[in-house]
PDB file of all heavy atoms in Angstrom:
ATOM      1  N   GLU A 313     -33.813 126.439  81.194  1.00 97.00           N
ATOM      2  CA  GLU A 313     -34.901 125.983  82.063  1.00 97.00           C
ATOM      3  C   GLU A 313     -34.922 126.750  83.381  1.00 97.00           C
ATOM      4  O   GLU A 313     -35.969 126.894  84.009  1.00 97.00           O
ATOM      5  CB  GLU A 313     -34.746 124.483  82.335  1.00 97.00           C
ATOM      6  CG  GLU A 313     -35.051 123.612  81.123  1.00 97.00           C
ATOM      7  CD  GLU A 313     -34.746 122.145  81.382  1.00 97.00           C
ATOM      8  OE1 GLU A 313     -34.068 121.841  82.404  1.00 97.00           O
ATOM      9  OE2 GLU A 313     -35.176 121.300  80.569  1.00 97.00           O
ATOM     10  N   LYS A 314     -33.749 127.253  83.795  1.00 97.00           N
ATOM     11  CA  LYS A 314     -33.651 127.954  85.083  1.00 97.00           C
ATOM     12  C   LYS A 314     -33.738 129.474  84.935  1.00 97.00           C
ATOM     13  O   LYS A 314     -33.550 130.203  85.910  1.00 97.00           O
ATOM     14  CB  LYS A 314     -32.334 127.581  85.774  1.00 97.00           C
ATOM     15  CG  LYS A 314     -32.267 126.109  86.175  1.00 97.00           C
ATOM     16  CD  LYS A 314     -30.922 125.768  86.802  1.00 97.00           C
ATOM     17  CE  LYS A 314     -30.851 124.290  87.177  1.00 97.00           C
ATOM     18  NZ  LYS A 314     -29.522 123.937  87.752  1.00 97.00           N
ATOM     19  N   PHE A 315     -33.999 129.953  83.714  1.00 98.00           N
ATOM     20  CA  PHE A 315     -34.133 131.401  83.513  1.00 98.00           C
ATOM     21  C   PHE A 315     -35.255 131.919  84.402  1.00 98.00           C
ATOM     22  O   PHE A 315     -36.355 131.361  84.437  1.00 98.00           O
ATOM     23  CB  PHE A 315     -34.434 131.697  82.052  1.00 98.00           C
ATOM     24  CG  PHE A 315     -34.493 133.164  81.713  1.00 98.00           C
ATOM     25  CD1 PHE A 315     -33.346 133.929  81.647  1.00 98.00           C
ATOM     26  CD2 PHE A 315     -35.718 133.781  81.473  1.00 98.00           C
ATOM     27  CE1 PHE A 315     -33.397 135.280  81.334  1.00 98.00           C
ATOM     28  CE2 PHE A 315     -35.783 135.135  81.157  1.00 98.00           C
ATOM     29  CZ  PHE A 315     -34.618 135.880  81.093  1.00 98.00           C
ATOM     30  N   ARG A 316     -34.974 132.992  85.136  1.00 97.00           N
ATOM     31  CA  ARG A 316     -35.912 133.496  86.149  1.00 97.00           C
ATOM     32  C   ARG A 316     -36.582 134.799  85.708  1.00 97.00           C
ATOM     33  O   ARG A 316     -35.953 135.639  85.063  1.00 97.00           O
ATOM     34  CB  ARG A 316     -35.185 133.745  87.472  1.00 97.00           C
ATOM     35  CG  ARG A 316     -34.687 132.483  88.146  1.00 97.00           C
ATOM     36  CD  ARG A 316     -33.828 132.780  89.355  1.00 97.00           C
ATOM     37  NE  ARG A 316     -32.551 133.399  88.979  1.00 97.00           N
ATOM     38  CZ  ARG A 316     -32.264 134.675  89.075  1.00 97.00           C
ATOM     39  NH1 ARG A 316     -33.164 135.530  89.537  1.00 97.00           N
ATOM     40  NH2 ARG A 316     -31.081 135.139  88.724  1.00 97.00           N
ATOM     41  N   TYR A 317     -37.830 134.946  86.117  1.00 97.00           N
ATOM     42  CA  TYR A 317     -38.552 136.190  85.892  1.00 97.00           C
ATOM     43  C   TYR A 317     -38.633 136.980  87.192  1.00 97.00           C
ATOM     44  O   TYR A 317     -38.540 136.424  88.287  1.00 97.00           O
ATOM     45  CB  TYR A 317     -39.951 135.896  85.341  1.00 97.00           C
ATOM     46  CG  TYR A 317     -39.903 135.372  83.926  1.00 97.00           C
ATOM     47  CD1 TYR A 317     -39.782 134.011  83.669  1.00 97.00           C
ATOM     48  CD2 TYR A 317     -39.911 136.250  82.849  1.00 97.00           C
ATOM     49  CE1 TYR A 317     -39.692 133.532  82.367  1.00 97.00           C
ATOM     50  CE2 TYR A 317     -39.822 135.787  81.542  1.00 97.00           C
ATOM     51  CZ  TYR A 317     -39.706 134.427  81.313  1.00 97.00           C
ATOM     52  OH  TYR A 317     -39.605 133.967  80.021  1.00 97.00           O
ATOM     53  N   GLY A 318     -38.786 138.295  87.061  1.00 94.00           N
ATOM     54  CA  GLY A 318     -38.787 139.168  88.222  1.00 94.00           C
ATOM     55  C   GLY A 318     -40.184 139.502  88.710  1.00 94.00           C
ATOM     56  O   GLY A 318     -41.147 138.767  88.482  1.00 94.00           O
ATOM     57  N   ARG A 319     -40.286 140.651  89.372  1.00 93.00           N
ATOM     58  CA  ARG A 319     -41.565 141.066  89.933  1.00 93.00           C
ATOM     59  C   ARG A 319     -42.515 141.549  88.839  1.00 93.00           C
ATOM     60  O   ARG A 319     -42.124 141.800  87.702  1.00 93.00           O
ATOM     61  CB  ARG A 319     -41.341 142.197  90.944  1.00 93.00           C
ATOM     62  CG  ARG A 319     -40.542 141.758  92.151  1.00 93.00           C
ATOM     63  CD  ARG A 319     -40.316 142.907  93.116  1.00 93.00           C
ATOM     64  NE  ARG A 319     -39.582 144.003  92.500  1.00 93.00           N
ATOM     65  CZ  ARG A 319     -38.271 144.005  92.292  1.00 93.00           C
ATOM     66  NH1 ARG A 319     -37.548 142.948  92.615  1.00 93.00           N
ATOM     67  NH2 ARG A 319     -37.669 145.041  91.757  1.00 93.00           N
ATOM     68  N   GLY A 320     -43.768 141.705  89.223  1.00 95.00           N
ATOM     69  CA  GLY A 320     -44.778 142.172  88.291  1.00 95.00           C
ATOM     70  C   GLY A 320     -44.957 143.679  88.349  1.00 95.00           C
ATOM     71  O   GLY A 320     -44.245 144.393  89.070  1.00 95.00           O
ATOM     72  N   CYS A 321     -45.911 144.159  87.593  1.00 96.00           N
ATOM     73  CA  CYS A 321     -46.172 145.598  87.486  1.00 96.00           C
ATOM     74  C   CYS A 321     -47.677 145.811  87.372  1.00 96.00           C
ATOM     75  O   CYS A 321     -48.376 145.040  86.708  1.00 96.00           O
ATOM     76  CB  CYS A 321     -45.455 146.142  86.243  1.00 96.00           C
ATOM     77  SG  CYS A 321     -45.915 147.816  85.771  1.00 96.00           S
ATOM     78  N   VAL A 322     -48.147 146.840  88.036  1.00 98.00           N
ATOM     79  CA  VAL A 322     -49.532 147.292  87.878  1.00 98.00           C
ATOM     80  C   VAL A 322     -49.504 148.714  87.355  1.00 98.00           C
ATOM     81  O   VAL A 322     -48.796 149.575  87.891  1.00 98.00           O
ATOM     82  CB  VAL A 322     -50.312 147.230  89.213  1.00 98.00           C
ATOM     83  CG1 VAL A 322     -51.619 147.996  89.113  1.00 98.00           C
ATOM     84  CG2 VAL A 322     -50.592 145.787  89.600  1.00 98.00           C
ATOM     85  N   GLN A 323     -50.222 148.950  86.266  1.00 98.00           N
ATOM     86  CA  GLN A 323     -50.372 150.297  85.727  1.00 98.00           C
ATOM     87  C   GLN A 323     -51.839 150.693  85.800  1.00 98.00           C
ATOM     88  O   GLN A 323     -52.707 149.960  85.312  1.00 98.00           O
ATOM     89  CB  GLN A 323     -49.891 150.368  84.280  1.00 98.00           C
ATOM     90  CG  GLN A 323     -48.396 150.239  84.113  1.00 98.00           C
ATOM     91  CD  GLN A 323     -47.964 150.428  82.662  1.00 98.00           C
ATOM     92  OE1 GLN A 323     -48.762 150.303  81.746  1.00 98.00           O
ATOM     93  NE2 GLN A 323     -46.697 150.721  82.451  1.00 98.00           N
ATOM     94  N   ILE A 324     -52.087 151.838  86.394  1.00 98.00           N
ATOM     95  CA  ILE A 324     -53.453 152.350  86.512  1.00 98.00           C
ATOM     96  C   ILE A 324     -53.578 153.553  85.589  1.00 98.00           C
ATOM     97  O   ILE A 324     -52.914 154.578  85.783  1.00 98.00           O
ATOM     98  CB  ILE A 324     -53.768 152.746  87.967  1.00 98.00           C
ATOM     99  CG1 ILE A 324     -53.581 151.535  88.888  1.00 98.00           C
ATOM    100  CG2 ILE A 324     -55.189 153.298  88.081  1.00 98.00           C
ATOM    101  CD1 ILE A 324     -53.587 151.875  90.363  1.00 98.00           C
ATOM    102  N   HIS A 325     -54.391 153.408  84.548  1.00 98.00           N
ATOM    103  CA  HIS A 325     -54.599 154.468  83.565  1.00 98.00           C
ATOM    104  C   HIS A 325     -55.876 155.221  83.914  1.00 98.00           C
ATOM    105  O   HIS A 325     -56.940 154.607  84.080  1.00 98.00           O
ATOM    106  CB  HIS A 325     -54.690 153.878  82.155  1.00 98.00           C
ATOM    107  CG  HIS A 325     -53.435 153.203  81.708  1.00 98.00           C
ATOM    108  ND1 HIS A 325     -52.398 153.883  81.110  1.00 98.00           N
ATOM    109  CD2 HIS A 325     -53.035 151.904  81.794  1.00 98.00           C
ATOM    110  CE1 HIS A 325     -51.422 153.034  80.834  1.00 98.00           C
ATOM    111  NE2 HIS A 325     -51.783 151.838  81.234  1.00 98.00           N
ATOM    112  N   LEU A 326     -55.756 156.551  83.993  1.00 98.00           N
ATOM    113  CA  LEU A 326     -56.885 157.382  84.408  1.00 98.00           C
ATOM    114  C   LEU A 326     -57.237 158.415  83.348  1.00 98.00           C
ATOM    115  O   LEU A 326     -56.350 159.020  82.744  1.00 98.00           O
ATOM    116  CB  LEU A 326     -56.555 158.115  85.711  1.00 98.00           C
ATOM    117  CG  LEU A 326     -56.144 157.239  86.910  1.00 98.00           C
ATOM    118  CD1 LEU A 326     -55.706 158.127  88.065  1.00 98.00           C
ATOM    119  CD2 LEU A 326     -57.285 156.323  87.323  1.00 98.00           C
ATOM    120  N   ALA A 327     -58.527 158.590  83.129  1.00 98.00           N
ATOM    121  CA  ALA A 327     -59.031 159.732  82.377  1.00 98.00           C
ATOM    122  C   ALA A 327     -59.509 160.753  83.403  1.00 98.00           C
ATOM    123  O   ALA A 327     -60.246 160.402  84.335  1.00 98.00           O
ATOM    124  CB  ALA A 327     -60.183 159.308  81.468  1.00 98.00           C
TER     125      ALA A 327
END
Side-chain angles (χ1 to χ4, degrees):
E313 289 174 347
K314 294 178 181 178
F315 184 73
R316 293 173 292 102
Y317 290 89
R319 295 179 300 282
C321 169
V322 167
Q323 290 185 340
I324 302 168
H325 297 274
L326 304 174

